[in-house]
């Protein structure tokens, strides 16, 4: 009887220790599957700053007469207010908009841009030039690019036979 009890205790100890190892392995597998999203570190500057999330907008291939509005998002990464004094498109087909109000340190701002998508059937590659009080970059050239599909030909009316 003592042998059965001893064997049972040893067997239970083995089962419990194995269960704990399995739990540790499954936890480590869960940790391995979890990925951290890298936070973008925005460099700080003395004075007003302008750090763009992206300096190029790729429209891709879009339909003629579709919505041509897009936005460049930036952060004032300086310690003084950022003032945008001008935004100019490289041609009349590219119209930028911007806030006339100062962008405070650490806050985000937006440069809107509208491309005239009625210019169908051709690729485009345009610039928007920003003038501001940003330290080191008082003028900044942003880029938009894409391709506007041709306007589809109207369908011919069906003839009656």
């Amino acid at each position: 009887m003592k042998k059965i009890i001893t064997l049972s205790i040893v067997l239970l100890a083995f089962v419990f220790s194995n269960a704990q190892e399995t739990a540790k392995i499954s936890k480590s597998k869960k940790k391995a599957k979890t990925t951290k999203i890298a936070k973008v570190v925005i460099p700080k500057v003395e004075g007003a700053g302008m750090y763009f999330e992206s300096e190029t907008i790729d429209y891709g291939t879009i339909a003629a007469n579709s919505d041509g509005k897009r936005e460049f998002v930036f952060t004032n990464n300086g310690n003084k207010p950022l003032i945008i004094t001008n935004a100019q498109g490289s041609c009349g087909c590219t119209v930028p908009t911007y806030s006339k109000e100062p962008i405070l340190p650490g806050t985000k701002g937006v440069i809107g841009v509208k491309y005239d998508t009625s210019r169908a059937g051709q690729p485009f590659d345009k610039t928007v030039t920003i003038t501001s009080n940003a330290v080191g970059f008082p003028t900044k050239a942003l880029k938009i690019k894409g391709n506007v599909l041709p306007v589809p030909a109207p369908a011919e009316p069906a003839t009656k036979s």
Side-chain angles (χ1 to χ4, degrees), residues 4-41:
I4 293 175
I5 292 174
T6 305
L7 184 61
S8 298
I9 291 172
V10 169
L11 185 61
L12 283 174
F14 176 75
V15 169
F16 283 121
S17 68
N18 193 22
Q20 288 177 349
E21 288 298 317
T22 305
K24 286 180 185 176
I25 291 170
S26 65
K27 282 183 183 178
S28 66
K29 283 183 181 178
K30 286 180 184 177
K31 286 182 183 177
K33 289 181 184 177
T34 304
T35 55
K36 292 183 179 181
I37 297 173
K39 186 175 182 179
V40 176
V41 178

Side-chain angles (χ1 to χ4, degrees), residues 78-93:
N79 58 4
K80 295 196 174 158
L82 174 71
I83 299 168
I84 299 171
T85 54
N86 193 28
Q88 182 71 42
S90 57
C91 71
C93 60

Side-chain angles (χ1 to χ4, degrees), residues 79-146:
N79 58 4
K80 295 196 174 158
L82 174 71
I83 299 168
I84 299 171
T85 54
N86 193 28
Q88 182 71 42
S90 57
C91 71
C93 60
T94 306
V95 181
T97 58
Y98 62 97
S99 173
K100 310 294 190 262
E101 298 298 316
I103 294 95
L104 298 177
T107 60
K108 291 188 181 230
V110 173
I111 305 288
V113 64
K114 182 174 187 325
Y115 180 74
D116 182 6
T117 59
S118 67
R119 297 171 184 247
Q122 56 188 340
F124 62 92
D125 191 354
K126 306 294 180 184
T127 57
V128 174
T129 304
I130 308 301
T131 307
S132 71
N133 67 333
V135 173
F137 300 99
T139 59
K140 184 76 165 170
L142 306 173
K143 184 178 177 180
I144 64 169
K145 62 182 182 176

